[in-house]
Amino acid sequence: MKLAISGSIVLLFTLSAEAGTFLVNFDSGKLDEWQELLMSDALPGSWEIVDGELHAVSPDGWTRLLTIGDETWRDYTIEFDVKPLDNRGPSNIVVAARINGSWVVWCLIGDLPFVDNISEVKFAAGNFQDPNTFLFSHSKRQRFLKLNEWSKLKLDVKENILNFWINGKQFIGPVQLPNRQSFLRFDALRKEHRKELPALQLDGLQDFLTGGMGLGLSNQTARFDNVVITGDSIPDRGGLSVTPKAKLATVWGSLKRF
C-alpha cells in the first residue's frame, strides 16, 4: 500500500509539471466560479458546502449540473470522488465535459427502473436543455455505486475521443464524440420519418472539441469532493506548484478512502 501511495504522489507531481492542474476540494466554502446548468424545465437544485464537501440535492428526475470552465478548455482529464447518500427512485450521477453553452457530452451512472441494485453506465451528447437532441451510446449494466460509500470517477477527453472509468475500471471508451453533422443527420431523419415531431433546438450547435466540465445528479442527494482537472489548456488553480502541502494532504485523504 505504501508503495502504491508513493507512486500515485510521484505521478501527480509529474502530471502537474507537464500540464495545468485545477484542484477543487471545497475547503474554501465558496462556489463563486461554479454555475448551475439545468436540463429542460428543471427548477434549480441545492448546492452547498458541508464539512469541506459539496452537498448536492436534485429533488426530481431532471438532471442538474454544477459547471466550471470555458471554451478555452480543450483536452483534459477529470477525476473526483462521489458518495450517493439517498435516492428517491430512478436516479443518476453525471460527469460532463466540453460544455459550451447548453451543448454537453456526459457519462451517467443511472438506476434501472424496476430492477434492484442494478444500474447502467452510458455516454450521451446533446443540447442539455432539449432532451429530444440526446444521442446515447450502448450501456453496460451492473451495480456501480453504493449508498454512503465513496467512489472515484474519471473522464478523459482528447480531441474527439472520450474514455470513462469507475474506481479504476474502464466502462466506456474509447468512443468517438458526435459532431455537428451527426446532429444535422439526426434532425433530417426525424423530419423524414416523424414530421409531427418538434424541431430540434440546434442553436449554438457544437463539435464538442472545447468547453468546461460539470458534475451532477438527478433525483437524489450526494456528496462530491477532490475534483482534479489536468490538461495543457487547464489553468493552474490550487495545484502543487502553488499549495503542495494542501494538495498532498488532499491526495492522501482521497487515497485512504480506497
Side-chain angles (χ1 to χ4, degrees), residues 10-234:
V10 170
L11 176 60
L12 193 55
F13 269 113
T14 303
L15 288 174
S16 181
E18 294 178 350
T21 299
F22 194 102
L23 170 68
V24 182
N25 57 18
F26 301 110
D27 289 342
S28 69
K30 298 179 180 180
L31 294 172
D32 297 343
E33 295 181 272
W34 295 80
Q35 294 183 332
E36 188 174 38
L37 178 60
L38 300 174
M39 182 178 286
S40 194
D41 297 324
L43 296 174
S46 172
W47 309 89
E48 60 179 332
I49 296 175
V50 177
D51 298 328
E53 300 164 357
L54 176 63
H55 185 86
V57 181
S58 183
D60 54 36
W62 292 116
T63 299
R64 295 156 172 86
L65 292 175
L66 198 63
T67 73
I68 198 165
D70 55 39
E71 67 277 1
T72 65
W73 290 21
R74 188 174 179 87
D75 297 340
Y76 51 84
T77 300
I78 307 160
E79 295 186 71
F80 63 87
D81 301 333
V82 61
K83 178 171 67 172
L85 298 180
D86 68 66
N87 56 38
R88 303 163 185 83
S91 59
N92 65 48
I93 295 290
V94 173
V95 53
R98 301 281 175 76
I99 302 172
N100 215 318
S102 59
W103 288 89
V104 184
V105 298
W106 69 95
C107 292
L108 67 87
I109 306 166
D111 297 329
L112 290 173
F114 314 117
V115 182
D116 292 336
N117 298 323
I118 298 294
S119 56
E120 61 183 349
V121 57
K122 55 188 176 182
F123 157 77
N127 183 339
F128 206 65
Q129 296 174 342
D130 182 5
N132 292 311
T133 65
F134 294 175
L135 301 179
F136 287 95
S137 71
H138 297 293
S139 61
K140 296 183 178 180
R141 300 178 177 182
Q142 67 177 61
R143 187 176 185 183
F144 294 105
L145 305 180
K146 298 179 180 179
L147 289 178
N148 300 306
E149 291 188 15
W150 287 100
S151 293
K152 182 173 288 294
L153 307 187
K154 177 181 176 182
L155 177 66
D156 178 83
V157 281
K158 294 290 189 297
E159 296 296 334
N160 66 337
I161 301 299
L162 175 145
N163 292 277
F164 178 62
W165 296 260
I166 303 171
N167 293 328
K169 183 177 179 180
Q170 186 167 359
F171 285 96
I172 296 179
V175 297
Q176 185 171 325
L177 302 181
N179 55 28
R180 299 178 190 215
Q181 292 305 313
S182 304
F183 285 94
L184 293 175
R185 287 194 298 269
F186 178 48
D187 192 28
L189 286 171
R190 289 174 80 253
K191 291 175 180 177
E192 179 181 347
H193 294 287
R194 297 283 301 278
K195 294 182 179 180
E196 74 278 11
L197 290 174
L200 297 182
Q201 299 300 312
L202 297 179
D203 294 342
L205 180 59
Q206 302 292 321
D207 278 329
F208 301 107
L209 292 178
T210 65
M213 64 78 63
L215 45 82
L217 70 173
S218 77
N219 208 32
Q220 65 176 298
T221 301
R223 291 284 181 96
F224 298 87
D225 202 5
N226 298 327
V227 180
V228 181
I229 311 159
T230 55
D232 291 340
S233 63
I234 303 302

